[in-house]
Amino acid sequence: MKISELCKMIEDSIHSGRYPLGQETEKQLAGLVQITNRSSSDDLKESDIRIEIRLQDLYVLNNYIQSIQHLPGVIEIDALDSFKMLSRRTGRIEKPNISFHS
């Protein structure tokens, strides 16, 4: 399996609601998550694997080495955890106070 295929599979699974999402913010943001291979190669046997999990302007970059046991599953779990963390951060972004006076 290629890294980009794994990223797309995980991204599609979050978009479709396959994973249980506990917070309302997570459910609202699930369609916006982007999971991207930032490695120099698309091979899971690469010595340095980098995966970016992005929600709008916030992102996390996780790196891996190919000798981690069950690497695709580890990447999947980390991507979901990173998405949930970014969802919490997005919920803490201050919104500008807009008041309408007539």
Side-chain angles (χ1 to χ4, degrees):
M1 172 179 276
K2 293 181 179 181
I3 298 171
S4 58
E5 291 172 349
L6 177 62
C7 292
K8 182 68 173 145
M9 180 194 72
I10 297 167
E11 183 180 304
D12 289 346
S13 293
I14 293 174
H15 289 174
S16 69
R18 176 177 167 233
Y19 301 110
L21 302 174
Q23 303 295 322
E24 192 59 37
T25 307
E26 293 170 3
K27 293 174 186 174
Q28 293 171 355
L29 296 173
L32 300 176
V33 68
Q34 296 173 326
I35 302 175
T36 309
N37 175 21
R38 294 291 182 208
S39 309
S40 59
S41 169
D42 207 20
D43 187 0
L44 274 170
K45 303 252 187 263
E46 176 73 17
S47 61
D48 184 28
I49 299 169
R50 290 182 225 115
I51 308 293
E52 178 185 274
I53 297 86
R54 177 178 288 275
L55 268 178
Q56 299 168 328
D57 294 334
L58 296 174
Y59 68 92
V60 173
L61 187 64
N62 295 320
N63 68 307
Y64 305 90
I65 55 174
Q66 56 91 23
S67 60
I68 295 175
Q69 290 183 357
H70 310 293
L71 183 58
V74 171
I75 292 172
E76 181 180 19
I77 291 168
D78 286 351
L80 184 58
D81 288 345
S82 295
F83 164 69
K84 290 180 177 191
M85 178 189 64
L86 291 171
S87 295
R88 287 191 303 273
R89 287 184 185 170
T90 300
R92 293 185 176 165
I93 294 174
E94 290 185 18
K95 309 291 187 264
N97 289 334
I98 300 172
S99 58
F100 297 96
H101 298 284
S102 18

